[in-house]
Amino acid sequence: MILSEADITALSITLQLAGLTTIILLVLGTPLAWWLARSQWRFKFVLEALIALPLVLPPTVLGFYLLVTLGPNGPLGELSKALGGPSLAFTFTGLVIGSVLYSMPFVIQPLQNAFAAIGNRPLEVAATLRASPLDRFFTVAVPLARSGFLTAAVLGFAHTIGEFGVVLMIGGNIPGKTQVVSIAIYDHVETLEYTQAHWLSAGLLVLAFLMLIMVYAVNRRFSLVQR
């Protein structure tokens, strides 16, 4: 077989992690991005800098502090134990928490930019028609920002698939449990199994390229429609 059973399991874990992370970020990030795009709070830039921190912070640094926080002696780890649960470090749940934090700017920033590009006029027109704030958001803002939602979803999904440092620090590279594709590729290279590393790497390369093509094609079509 081109891919071993362990590689297929790592691929399955990676896709589950990326899908769940993307869904969580879209659910939590949409109202936050809407608030950032509309708020006039003078210290909003502090929150924006905090969200963008994973863009410049080394993954191992974020992974280390998450490991300390989620570990058995960390605040979240102790809380999990107090509630009768296991330590969050070296678990799939820990991977999800780390991935959500690490991929956050790749989802929130495109959504914030899409909401900001709408402007006030469409919302003001809807308000004159007695649309409530919630109606204005779902019937005006969300449809006009659909390209931003696509970009956010694709970037969040693709970025999570390519994670290495954060998931290695938090997950510990446990085969069948926390080993993802990026770590499996590294393991194959370390053991000089270049054929397996090539097939996994090529698969991720093609997947990432196709997703980016979809984003650019949809955004181009959306721009042409707006004209």
Side-chain angles (χ1 to χ4, degrees), residues 39-141:
S39 174
Q40 300 298 321
W41 184 43
R42 59 181 301 184
F43 296 111
K44 181 178 65 174
F45 65 90
V46 176
L47 182 57
E48 290 176 322
L50 186 62
I51 292 172
L53 195 59
L55 294 175
V56 296
L57 195 65
T60 50
V61 174
L62 179 60
F64 169 72
Y65 284 112
L66 283 173
L67 179 61
V68 172
T69 303
L70 301 177
N73 297 322
L76 292 183
E78 290 184 345
L79 177 61
S80 177
K81 288 193 299 183
L83 297 175
S87 172
L88 296 175
F90 310 119
T91 65
F92 183 79
T93 302
L95 289 184
V96 172
I97 294 174
S99 297
V100 166
L101 293 176
Y102 191 52
S103 297
M104 187 178 297
F106 293 88
V107 174
I108 292 181
Q109 288 184 353
L111 289 176
Q112 180 183 350
N113 293 335
F115 286 140
I118 295 174
N120 292 325
R121 185 167 182 79
L123 300 173
E124 292 171 351
V125 171
T128 61
L129 298 176
R130 297 183 179 180
S132 67
L134 198 61
D135 288 335
R136 295 198 294 270
F137 175 75
F138 283 107
T139 62
V140 178

XYZ file of all heavy atoms in Angstrom, residues 39-141:
779
model
N -17.312 48.292 15.876
C -17.075 48.990 17.139
C -16.180 50.216 16.956
O -15.266 50.224 16.121
C -16.430 48.032 18.146
O -16.076 48.726 19.327
N -16.447 51.240 17.759
C -15.632 52.449 17.787
C -14.811 52.543 19.075
O -14.289 53.603 19.407
C -16.537 53.692 17.667
C -17.360 53.741 16.392
C -16.482 53.803 15.155
O -15.465 54.478 15.138
N -16.887 53.087 14.097
N -14.711 51.442 19.799
C -13.970 51.438 21.056
C -12.518 51.834 20.798
O -11.860 51.280 19.928
C -14.047 50.042 21.682
C -13.392 49.936 23.032
C -13.481 50.822 24.045
C -12.556 48.866 23.493
N -12.761 50.391 25.127
C -12.186 49.191 24.824
C -12.110 47.677 22.936
C -11.363 48.360 25.584
C -11.295 46.854 23.691
C -10.936 47.194 25.004
N -11.997 52.756 21.557
C -10.675 53.319 21.289
C -9.537 52.327 21.528
O -8.453 52.466 20.960
C -10.452 54.569 22.155
C -10.536 54.319 23.646
C -10.332 55.606 24.432
N -9.050 56.213 24.159
C -8.598 57.312 24.778
N -9.376 57.917 25.687
N -7.420 57.805 24.497
N -9.783 51.315 22.362
C -8.741 50.331 22.643
C -8.969 49.011 21.896
O -8.435 47.971 22.279
C -8.662 50.065 24.151
C -8.242 51.265 24.948
C -9.141 51.898 25.783
C -6.959 51.759 24.843
C -8.758 53.019 26.516
C -6.557 52.864 25.567
C -7.458 53.500 26.410
N -9.727 49.084 20.827
C -10.008 47.896 20.034
C -8.727 47.283 19.456
O -8.631 46.075 19.268
C -10.974 48.264 18.905
C -11.370 47.108 18.008
C -12.359 47.557 16.950
C -11.753 48.550 15.988
N -12.674 48.871 14.862
N -7.751 48.122 19.214
C -6.509 47.644 18.614
C -5.776 46.638 19.515
O -5.011 45.800 19.022
C -5.580 48.817 18.294
C -5.092 49.572 19.505
C -3.917 49.205 20.137
C -5.814 50.654 19.996
C -3.463 49.898 21.250
C -5.374 51.344 21.112
C -4.183 50.967 21.745
N -6.012 46.725 20.822
C -5.375 45.776 21.737
C -5.910 44.364 21.482
O -5.150 43.394 21.410
C -5.611 46.191 23.202
C -5.028 45.143 24.157
C -5.012 47.558 23.480
N -7.226 44.256 21.319
C -7.836 42.958 21.030
C -7.424 42.465 19.655
O -7.171 41.267 19.461
C -9.359 43.071 21.129
C -10.160 41.783 20.899
C -9.714 40.692 21.870
C -11.650 42.048 21.044
N -7.330 43.373 18.691
C -6.906 42.983 17.345
C -5.468 42.459 17.363
O -5.145 41.488 16.673
C -7.027 44.176 16.401
C -8.459 44.575 16.093
C -8.543 45.819 15.246
O -7.733 46.742 15.455
O -9.426 45.883 14.364
N -4.614 43.101 18.154
C -3.226 42.636 18.271
C -3.156 41.264 18.931
O -2.354 40.402 18.544
C -2.399 43.649 19.065
N -4.008 41.045 19.922
C -4.041 39.759 20.607
C -4.481 38.646 19.664
O -3.923 37.542 19.670
C -4.982 39.844 21.809
C -5.027 38.621 22.733
C -3.663 38.389 23.366
C -6.080 38.801 23.810
N -5.479 38.935 18.835
C -5.962 37.951 17.867
C -4.891 37.634 16.824
O -4.713 36.488 16.411
C -7.248 38.461 17.188
C -8.390 38.520 18.202
C -7.629 37.573 16.003
C -9.635 39.191 17.677
N -4.133 38.663 16.418
C -3.113 38.493 15.386
C -1.807 37.919 15.921
O -0.906 37.610 15.140
C -2.839 39.831 14.700
N -1.683 37.760 17.219
C -0.433 37.301 17.832
C 0.097 35.990 17.245
O 1.310 35.857 17.026
C -0.623 37.180 19.344
C 0.649 37.063 20.198
C 1.548 38.269 19.991
C 0.276 36.911 21.671
N -0.757 34.989 16.969
C -0.228 33.749 16.386
C 0.445 33.921 15.034
O 1.199 33.037 14.604
C -1.479 32.867 16.248
C -2.407 33.371 17.302
C -2.185 34.854 17.330
N 0.206 35.045 14.347
C 0.837 35.273 13.053
C 2.340 35.514 13.190
O 3.109 35.224 12.273
C 0.187 36.475 12.350
C -1.267 36.324 11.921
C -1.786 37.636 11.360
C -1.412 35.218 10.891
N 2.764 36.064 14.322
C 4.173 36.411 14.506
C 4.839 35.597 15.612
O 6.060 35.577 15.716
C 4.324 37.919 14.822
C 3.852 38.757 13.652
C 3.541 38.309 16.069
N 4.050 34.937 16.434
C 4.597 34.174 17.549
C 5.054 32.796 17.071
O 4.320 32.119 16.348
C 3.530 34.008 18.631
C 3.987 33.548 20.019
C 4.879 34.599 20.655
C 2.775 33.268 20.898
N 6.259 32.351 17.439
C 6.685 30.998 17.063
C 5.698 29.955 17.591
O 5.270 30.042 18.749
C 8.058 30.861 17.751
C 8.544 32.261 17.913
C 7.314 33.093 18.154
N 5.324 28.981 16.772
C 4.341 27.978 17.213
C 4.752 27.243 18.482
O 3.901 26.894 19.297
C 4.264 27.022 16.020
C 4.714 27.822 14.854
C 5.725 28.780 15.374
N 6.054 27.016 18.650
C 6.498 26.304 19.843
C 6.272 27.118 21.108
O 6.055 26.551 22.184
C 7.990 25.938 19.727
O 8.736 27.112 19.342
C 8.205 24.849 18.688
N 6.330 28.444 20.994
C 6.078 29.294 22.164
C 4.619 29.178 22.587
O 4.304 28.957 23.764
C 6.446 30.764 21.864
C 6.031 31.666 23.029
C 7.937 30.896 21.600
N 3.721 29.323 21.619
C 2.300 29.169 21.915
C 2.006 27.758 22.404
O 1.250 27.565 23.371
C 1.474 29.477 20.663
C -0.042 29.339 20.794
C -0.580 30.284 21.859
C -0.721 29.595 19.455
N 2.618 26.768 21.768
C 2.403 25.385 22.179
C 2.893 25.113 23.589
O 2.253 24.387 24.350
N 4.021 25.727 23.952
C 4.554 25.525 25.298
C 3.604 26.066 26.361
O 3.293 25.379 27.348
C 5.921 26.199 25.424
C 6.435 26.265 26.834
C 6.876 25.130 27.486
C 6.446 27.470 27.519
C 7.337 25.187 28.791
C 6.902 27.543 28.819
C 7.344 26.397 29.465
N 3.132 27.288 26.175
C 2.245 27.877 27.175
C 0.887 27.183 27.209
O 0.258 27.093 28.272
C 2.090 29.380 26.926
C 3.305 30.159 27.370
C 4.134 30.790 26.458
C 3.633 30.245 28.722
C 5.254 31.483 26.864
C 4.756 30.944 29.144
C 5.567 31.553 28.208
O 6.682 32.228 28.629
N 0.453 26.695 26.071
C -0.781 25.907 26.073
C -0.574 24.585 26.805
O -1.471 24.130 27.523
C -1.232 25.648 24.634
C -1.914 26.805 23.915
C -2.141 26.471 22.451
C -3.236 27.155 24.582
N 0.603 23.985 26.632
C 0.903 22.739 27.327
C 0.904 22.952 28.837
O 0.363 22.141 29.594
C 2.263 22.201 26.875
C 2.739 20.896 27.525
C 1.767 19.763 27.225
C 4.138 20.550 27.040
N 1.491 24.082 29.267
C 1.497 24.401 30.694
C 0.080 24.640 31.200
O -0.301 24.197 32.291
C 2.384 25.641 30.959
C 2.239 26.104 32.409
C 3.844 25.328 30.655
N -0.730 25.331 30.397
C -2.100 25.661 30.808
C -3.002 24.437 30.829
O -3.824 24.268 31.736
C -2.693 26.714 29.853
O -1.856 27.870 29.843
C -4.092 27.117 30.296
N -2.840 23.564 29.839
C -3.725 22.405 29.710
C -3.222 21.179 30.463
O -3.959 20.195 30.599
C -3.897 22.044 28.227
C -4.466 23.117 27.311
C -4.508 22.626 25.880
C -5.848 23.549 27.768
N -1.990 21.226 30.929
C -1.413 20.090 31.628
C -2.077 19.830 32.967
O -2.905 20.615 33.445
N -1.724 18.730 33.619
C -2.384 18.346 34.883
C -2.241 19.378 35.990
O -3.084 19.446 36.879
C -1.700 17.022 35.251
C -0.460 16.964 34.427
C -0.717 17.755 33.196
N -1.164 20.176 35.959
C -0.963 21.197 36.982
C -1.354 22.598 36.516
O -1.178 23.569 37.262
C 0.506 21.204 37.437
C 0.912 19.887 38.087
O 0.128 19.287 38.818
N 2.118 19.432 37.798
N -1.838 22.705 35.279
C -2.260 23.993 34.750
C -3.681 24.319 35.157
O -4.438 23.443 35.597
N -4.099 25.581 35.000
C -5.452 25.985 35.427
C -6.563 25.229 34.716
O -7.507 24.756 35.360
C -5.491 27.478 35.111
C -4.365 27.722 34.162
C -3.324 26.713 34.480
N -6.464 25.085 33.395
C -7.511 24.356 32.669
C -7.413 22.860 32.916
O -8.433 22.165 32.962
C -7.422 24.659 31.170
C -7.776 26.077 30.742
C -7.708 26.217 29.232
C -9.164 26.463 31.245
N -6.188 22.359 33.078
C -6.026 20.942 33.381
C -6.600 20.583 34.737
O -7.268 19.550 34.892
N -6.353 21.439 35.738
C -6.913 21.192 37.068
C -8.431 21.319 37.063
O -9.125 20.571 37.745
C -6.299 22.172 38.066
C -4.830 21.903 38.360
C -4.285 22.828 39.424
O -4.946 23.845 39.717
O -3.201 22.541 39.962
N -8.945 22.283 36.282
C -10.394 22.434 36.181
C -11.019 21.193 35.557
O -12.071 20.720 36.010
C -10.733 23.674 35.349
C -12.217 23.937 35.096
C -12.968 24.152 36.409
C -12.405 25.135 34.167
N -10.379 20.660 34.519
C -10.898 19.454 33.875
C -10.910 18.277 34.849
O -11.879 17.509 34.901
C -10.040 19.119 32.649
O -10.475 17.924 32.038
N -9.838 18.144 35.639
C -9.787 17.060 36.627
C -10.838 17.248 37.712
O -11.444 16.276 38.186
C -8.395 16.985 37.243
C -7.330 16.429 36.307
C -6.061 16.074 37.059
C -5.454 17.300 37.726
N -4.165 16.961 38.400
N -11.065 18.512 38.121
C -12.064 18.781 39.151
C -13.462 18.421 38.679
O -14.328 18.042 39.481
C -12.004 20.251 39.559
N -13.688 18.528 37.366
C -14.989 18.185 36.798
C -15.091 16.705 36.444
O -16.083 16.275 35.854
C -15.257 19.038 35.552
C -15.363 20.561 35.791
C -15.512 21.300 34.472
C -16.535 20.871 36.711
N -14.055 15.941 36.795
C -14.084 14.511 36.538
C -13.540 14.096 35.188
O -13.638 12.922 34.813
N -12.943 15.046 34.469
C -12.400 14.730 33.160
C -10.907 14.492 33.217
O -10.270 14.699 34.246
N -10.316 14.082 32.095
C -8.869 13.837 32.058
C -8.105 15.138 31.845
O -8.689 16.196 31.586
C -8.718 12.910 30.848
C -9.825 13.356 29.931
C -10.975 13.754 30.821
N -6.806 15.059 31.958
C -5.966 16.192 31.606
C -6.128 16.489 30.119
O -6.252 15.574 29.303
C -4.499 15.887 31.930
O -3.649 16.901 31.419
N -6.142 17.751 29.748
C -6.396 18.122 28.361
C -5.158 17.997 27.480
O -5.280 17.928 26.251
C -6.934 19.555 28.299
C -8.292 19.774 28.975
C -8.662 21.242 28.963
C -9.372 18.948 28.296
N -3.986 17.984 28.092
C -2.765 17.822 27.310
C -2.682 16.400 26.757
O -3.140 15.439 27.385
C -1.546 18.126 28.171
N -2.105 16.278 25.549
C -1.924 14.989 24.882
C -3.259 14.294 24.597
O -3.371 13.069 24.662
C -1.016 14.073 25.702
C 0.269 14.737 26.116
C 0.578 14.892 27.453
C 1.140 15.233 25.166
C 1.748 15.527 27.835
C 2.319 15.861 25.540
C 2.628 16.006 26.875
N -4.278 15.099 24.292
C -5.580 14.575 23.902
C -6.054 15.303 22.656
O -5.552 16.381 22.309
C -6.629 14.759 25.011
O -6.860 16.167 25.225
C -6.177 14.120 26.310
N -7.057 14.724 21.983
C -7.621 15.374 20.800
C -8.285 16.684 21.183
O -8.228 17.671 20.432
C -8.623 14.444 20.123
C -9.206 15.013 18.854
C -8.476 14.981 17.674
C -10.475 15.575 18.847
C -9.005 15.516 16.501
C -11.009 16.111 17.684
C -10.273 16.069 16.513
N -8.913 16.738 22.354
C -9.531 17.977 22.825
C -8.488 19.075 22.974
O -8.731 20.245 22.618
C -10.237 17.749 24.175
O -11.211 16.723 24.022
C -10.913 19.026 24.665
N -7.325 18.722 23.503
C -6.244 19.690 23.613
C -5.789 20.196 22.258
O -5.493 21.385 22.084
N -5.749 19.284 21.274
C -5.392 19.696 19.914
C -6.396 20.707 19.366
O -6.019 21.674 18.698
C -5.331 18.479 18.989
C -4.181 17.486 19.170
C -4.259 16.404 18.094
C -2.851 18.181 19.133
N -7.670 20.480 19.628
C -8.706 21.392 19.139
C -8.537 22.776 19.768
O -8.602 23.801 19.077
C -10.106 20.825 19.434
C -11.182 21.854 19.099
C -10.345 19.544 18.651
N -8.303 22.811 21.076
C -8.122 24.098 21.764
C -6.921 24.849 21.187
O -6.989 26.043 20.881
C -7.950 23.875 23.274
C -9.234 23.308 23.875
C -7.580 25.192 23.970
C -9.114 22.923 25.342
N -5.814 24.133 21.020
C -4.626 24.763 20.464
C -4.828 25.231 19.032
O -4.385 26.318 18.650
N -5.514 24.427 18.234
C -5.746 24.782 16.835
C -6.671 25.984 16.708
O -6.483 26.827 15.825
C -6.334 23.586 16.080
O -5.428 22.500 16.067
N -7.663 26.067 17.571
C -8.575 27.214 17.544
C -7.808 28.504 17.825
O -7.982 29.514 17.134
C -9.714 27.021 18.568
C -10.463 28.328 18.796
C -10.687 25.954 18.076
N -6.942 28.473 18.810
C -6.174 29.668 19.145
C -5.164 30.004 18.047
O -4.979 31.175 17.700
C -5.457 29.465 20.480
C -6.354 29.359 21.713
C -5.524 29.071 22.960
C -7.161 30.637 21.913
N -4.511 28.980 17.493
C -3.456 29.223 16.515
C -4.008 29.655 15.154
O -3.364 30.423 14.435
C -2.606 27.960 16.358
C -1.342 28.181 15.576
C -0.457 29.210 15.911
C -1.010 27.366 14.498
C 0.710 29.417 15.191
C 0.158 27.568 13.781
C 1.017 28.585 14.135
O 2.175 28.788 13.421
N -5.187 29.177 14.793
C -5.778 29.530 13.497
C -6.744 30.701 13.582
O -7.332 31.086 12.564
C -6.501 28.305 12.904
O -5.604 27.250 12.642
N -6.916 31.267 14.750
C -7.892 32.338 14.952
C -7.736 33.517 13.983
O -8.715 33.954 13.371
C -7.840 32.829 16.401
C -8.922 33.834 16.755
S -8.845 34.323 18.496
C -9.164 32.745 19.292
N -6.526 34.075 13.791
C -6.437 35.237 12.893
C -6.781 34.910 11.447
O -7.235 35.795 10.710
C -4.970 35.671 13.030
C -4.251 34.477 13.542
C -5.234 33.756 14.410
N -6.606 33.668 11.028
C -6.882 33.292 9.649
C -8.383 33.222 9.366
O -8.786 33.179 8.201
C -6.230 31.944 9.335
C -4.742 31.990 9.333
C -4.027 31.784 10.501
C -4.036 32.282 8.176
C -2.643 31.847 10.515
C -2.657 32.341 8.178
C -1.953 32.128 9.350
N -9.182 33.218 10.399
C -10.636 33.211 10.241
C -11.222 34.576 10.583
O -12.043 35.118 9.832
C -11.270 32.114 11.125
C -12.799 32.204 11.086
C -10.824 30.738 10.658
N -10.812 35.150 11.686
C -11.413 36.395 12.147
C -11.040 37.572 11.254
O -11.901 38.413 10.921
C -11.018 36.672 13.606
C -11.676 35.638 14.521
C -11.441 38.082 14.033
C -11.381 35.838 15.985
N -9.800 37.668 10.818
C -9.390 38.816 10.010
C -10.109 38.894 8.666
O -10.570 39.976 8.276
C -7.876 38.816 9.833
C -7.116 39.186 11.102
C -5.621 39.287 10.899
O -5.095 38.956 9.833
N -4.911 39.730 11.919
N -10.247 37.784 7.898
C -11.037 37.878 6.664
C -12.494 38.247 6.910
O -13.091 39.011 6.134
C -10.917 36.467 6.058
C -9.670 35.905 6.629
C -9.589 36.463 8.011
N -13.084 37.733 7.992
C -14.463 38.090 8.312
C -14.571 39.561 8.684
O -15.505 40.258 8.243
C -14.974 37.217 9.468
C -15.233 35.740 9.162
C -15.645 35.014 10.436
C -16.303 35.597 8.100
N -13.637 40.049 9.485
C -13.661 41.458 9.881
C -13.531 42.365 8.663
O -14.264 43.363 8.527
C -12.523 41.738 10.864
C -12.478 43.187 11.329
C -11.296 43.456 12.252
O -10.615 42.525 12.701
N -11.030 44.717 12.532
N -12.623 42.025 7.749
C -12.446 42.838 6.539
C -13.693 42.799 5.656
O -14.073 43.817 5.052
C -11.237 42.340 5.754
C -9.927 42.565 6.491
O -9.823 43.466 7.329
N -8.924 41.764 6.198
N -14.326 41.638 5.575
C -15.543 41.524 4.752
C -16.679 42.344 5.342
O -17.420 43.023 4.608
C -15.945 40.056 4.638
N -16.844 42.308 6.652
C -17.894 43.095 7.301
C -17.609 44.595 7.171
O -18.528 45.394 6.953
C -18.005 42.712 8.775
C -18.660 41.386 9.019
C -18.181 40.524 10.009
C -19.749 40.977 8.272
C -18.788 39.298 10.244
C -20.357 39.751 8.490
C -19.877 38.906 9.484
N -16.338 44.983 7.311
C -15.989 46.404 7.207
C -16.229 46.928 5.797
O -16.579 48.111 5.614
C -14.530 46.604 7.616
N -16.032 46.064 4.787
C -16.208 46.493 3.402
C -17.665 46.741 3.039
O -17.953 47.397 2.026
C -15.609 45.449 2.458
N -18.588 46.243 3.836
C -20.013 46.441 3.542
C -20.395 47.908 3.651
O -21.186 48.437 2.850
C -20.874 45.586 4.499
C -20.630 44.098 4.233
C -22.357 45.914 4.345
C -21.328 43.193 5.225
N -19.831 48.591 4.664
C -20.182 49.987 4.877
C -21.496 50.134 5.645
O -22.146 49.145 6.002
N -21.882 51.359 5.857
C -23.086 51.634 6.651
C -24.365 51.716 5.811
O -25.447 51.451 6.319
C -22.916 52.953 7.409
C -21.852 52.851 8.487
O -21.692 51.820 9.120
N -21.099 53.934 8.678
N -24.245 52.086 4.550
C -25.442 52.380 3.764
C -26.401 51.201 3.640
O -27.617 51.372 3.883
C -25.039 52.887 2.379
C -26.232 53.333 1.544
C -25.825 54.115 0.323
N -26.985 54.561 -0.425
C -27.736 55.602 -0.108
N -27.464 56.295 0.982
N -28.770 55.956 -0.854
N -25.957 49.992 3.276
C -26.923 48.878 3.181
C -27.645 48.618 4.491
O -28.847 48.298 4.494
C -26.044 47.688 2.781
C -24.849 48.288 2.143
C -24.601 49.553 2.887
N -26.942 48.758 5.606
C -27.571 48.530 6.906
C -28.548 49.643 7.252
O -29.601 49.393 7.853
C -26.482 48.424 7.980
C -25.477 47.282 7.771
C -24.345 47.383 8.782
C -26.169 45.929 7.892
N -28.203 50.875 6.876
C -29.111 51.991 7.130
C -30.385 51.872 6.308
O -31.484 52.188 6.790
C -28.398 53.312 6.824
C -27.265 53.637 7.789
C -26.447 54.828 7.346
O -26.663 55.289 6.194
O -25.590 55.303 8.127
N -30.248 51.412 5.071
C -31.430 51.204 4.226
C -32.329 50.133 4.838
O -33.566 50.286 4.885
C -31.013 50.808 2.796
C -32.228 50.371 1.987
C -30.301 51.957 2.117
N -31.724 49.066 5.318
C -32.509 48.005 5.950
C -33.187 48.515 7.221
O -34.324 48.126 7.533
C -31.607 46.818 6.285
N -32.508 49.410 7.941
C -33.097 49.964 9.163
C -34.315 50.823 8.849
O -35.296 50.831 9.612
C -32.053 50.784 9.919
N -34.278 51.534 7.721
C -35.436 52.347 7.343
C -36.643 51.483 6.996
O -37.782 51.950 7.034
C -35.099 53.251 6.139
O -34.741 52.423 5.018
C -33.944 54.181 6.473
N -36.388 50.231 6.654
C -37.475 49.287 6.358
C -37.890 48.514 7.603
O -38.575 47.503 7.520
C -37.024 48.307 5.266
C -36.671 48.942 3.913
C -36.142 47.893 2.959
C -37.885 49.637 3.315
N -37.457 49.040 8.750
C -37.818 48.501 10.066
C -37.238 47.112 10.332
O -37.827 46.313 11.071
C -39.343 48.463 10.233
C -39.985 49.835 10.183
C -41.473 49.748 10.413
N -42.089 51.076 10.396
C -43.393 51.304 10.574
N -44.210 50.266 10.789
N -43.871 52.531 10.540
N -36.104 46.829 9.745
C -35.421 45.569 10.041
C -34.696 45.704 11.374
O -34.026 46.704 11.632
C -34.429 45.230 8.933
N -34.827 44.698 12.218
C -34.153 44.713 13.510
C -32.647 44.510 13.311
O -32.211 44.080 12.237
C -34.703 43.602 14.402
O -34.362 42.326 13.876
N -31.834 44.830 14.332
C -30.381 44.597 14.196
C -30.043 43.164 13.823
O -29.129 42.924 13.025
C -29.842 44.966 15.585
C -30.827 45.962 16.114
C -32.159 45.517 15.590
N -30.771 42.207 14.397
C -30.515 40.802 14.069
C -30.892 40.501 12.626
O -30.164 39.783 11.926
C -31.299 39.897 15.026
C -30.836 38.438 15.126
C -29.398 38.369 15.617
C -31.760 37.656 16.054
N -32.009 41.061 12.172
C -32.417 40.880 10.777
C -31.408 41.505 9.828
O -31.082 40.930 8.782
C -33.802 41.490 10.540
C -34.910 40.675 11.178
O -34.703 39.459 11.372
O -35.965 41.250 11.498
N -30.923 42.678 10.185
C -29.936 43.354 9.332
C -28.662 42.534 9.216
O -28.031 42.492 8.164
C -29.629 44.753 9.876
C -30.804 45.708 9.844
C -30.360 47.144 9.969
N -29.763 47.457 11.256
C -30.444 47.897 12.317
N -31.770 48.045 12.242
N -29.820 48.195 13.431
N -28.299 41.881 10.309
C -27.079 41.082 10.283
C -27.239 39.865 9.375
O -26.385 39.598 8.520
C -26.714 40.633 11.702
C -25.531 39.708 11.769
C -24.249 40.201 11.596
C -25.716 38.348 11.974
C -23.152 39.349 11.649
C -24.622 37.488 12.029
C -23.346 37.987 11.859
N -28.333 39.109 9.554
C -28.491 37.852 8.826
C -28.977 38.048 7.385
O -28.658 37.223 6.521
C -29.456 36.925 9.575
C -28.836 36.248 10.765
C -29.175 36.641 12.051
C -27.916 35.233 10.596
C -28.599 36.029 13.155
C -27.338 34.607 11.689
C -27.674 35.006 12.973
N -29.748 39.089 7.124
C -30.297 39.267 5.774
C -29.499 40.234 4.910
O -29.663 40.239 3.685
C -31.755 39.757 5.851
O -31.797 41.039 6.511
C -32.622 38.768 6.607
N -28.655 41.045 5.545
C -27.871 42.019 4.776
C -26.373 41.746 4.907
O -25.669 41.539 3.918
C -28.186 43.472 5.225
C -27.315 44.456 4.434
C -29.652 43.790 5.022
N -25.873 41.757 6.140
C -24.428 41.648 6.352
C -23.876 40.297 5.922
O -22.868 40.227 5.202
C -24.105 41.918 7.821
